[in-house]
Amino acid sequence: MAVPLIDRLGLNPRERRLVTLMLMVVGVLAVLGIPIALASLVHSRDADNQELSAAISAVQGARSQVRDRQAHKDAFATRYAKKAPSLAGYLEQTAHQEKLEVTDSVDRPEQPHGKRYTERSTSAHLKKAGMYPIAKFLESLEKSGYPIDVSRLNIRRRVGEPDSYDVEVGVSAYDRHEAPATSPSASPSVDEGSKDKQP
C-alpha cells in the first residue's frame, strides 16, 4: 500500500495542515493562473493586431494621397505640355466658330512669372454679340486644353438692340520653360550672373 508523501515526510499534524493548505493554495493559483495568463496573452495579441491594423490603414491612406498627388502632378504637367498657340489667331478662330467677329485685338508684352513661366496676354473686342454665343465662346476657351484663362471680361449692352452686347475679353496664356540642364562643374555664382544678364 502506497504511503502518502506527507506521511513519508514525518510531519506532525500541524505541519501537515500547513503543507496541505499550501498545496491547495498552489493548486488554486495554478488553476486560476493559467486562464489569467492566457487572457493576458490574448489581450496583448489583440492590442498588437489593432496597432498593426492602424498601421495598415495609415499606409493605405498614404498610398491614396500619393496617387492623388501624382495624378495632380501628371495633370499639371499635361496641361503645360500643350503650349497655347498665338492668342490673337486662336481667339479669332474660336469666335468664328460661334458666329462672332473679333473687331480688333491687342497683344500685351510678355510677363515672366518666376523662373519657369511666362504670361502672354491678348485683349480682343467683340461687337454686337448675343449672350448665348458669348457664353459658348467663353466655354470653348475654358475647355480648350491649353494653359489659358480669361483674365478680363467687360460686357456692355448696346442701347436699343435686344440681346446685343459689346465685349472686351482679355485672355492670358502661360508657357512653362524647362530648367536648363546644368553641368556639375559649373559654378552657381556664374549661373546666377548669366541668368541676371538674360532679357
Side-chain angles (χ1 to χ4, degrees), residues 3 5 9 12 19 21 31 42 44 57 74 93 98 113 115 135 137 161 164 171 176 184 191:
V3 180
L5 178 61
L9 292 175
N12 61 39
V19 170
L21 183 61
V31 170
V42 169
S44 175
S57 298
D74 293 343
Q93 177 185 359
E98 303 301 333
H113 289 275
K115 296 180 180 180
F137 170 71
E161 300 180 25
S164 183
V171 176
R176 187 174 192 269
D191 291 344

Side-chain angles (χ1 to χ4, degrees), residues 20-115:
T20 304
L21 183 61
M22 287 178 60
L23 290 176
M24 290 177 60
V25 169
V26 170
V28 170
L29 289 177
V31 170
L32 295 179
I34 292 174
I36 291 174
L38 290 176
S40 177
L41 180 61
V42 169
H43 180 71
S44 175
R45 293 285 177 87
D46 286 344
D48 291 342
N49 289 340
Q50 289 177 359
E51 290 180 4
L52 185 59
S53 297
I56 291 173
S57 298
V59 169
Q60 294 295 340
R63 283 182 180 173
S64 65
Q65 289 179 356
V66 169
R67 282 195 299 268
D68 292 343
R69 288 180 184 173
Q70 187 62 42
H72 179 71
K73 184 179 179 181
D74 293 343
F76 186 81
T78 301
R79 178 175 173 83
Y80 284 96
K82 189 177 179 183
K83 184 177 179 179
S86 172
L87 289 178
Y90 181 69
L91 290 176
E92 187 171 350
Q93 177 185 359
T94 306
H96 183 71
Q97 291 174 354
E98 303 301 333
K99 307 291 192 296
L100 297 173
E101 183 181 355
V102 175
T103 57
D104 65 277
S105 61
V106 178
D107 290 331
R108 306 293 181 191
E110 292 186 358
Q111 298 290 328
H113 289 275
K115 296 180 180 180

Side-chain angles (χ1 to χ4, degrees), residues 125-138:
H125 291 87
L126 309 172
K127 299 291 185 182
K128 298 183 179 181
M131 186 54 69
Y132 182 74
I134 292 171
K136 294 297 289 181
F137 170 71
L138 295 174

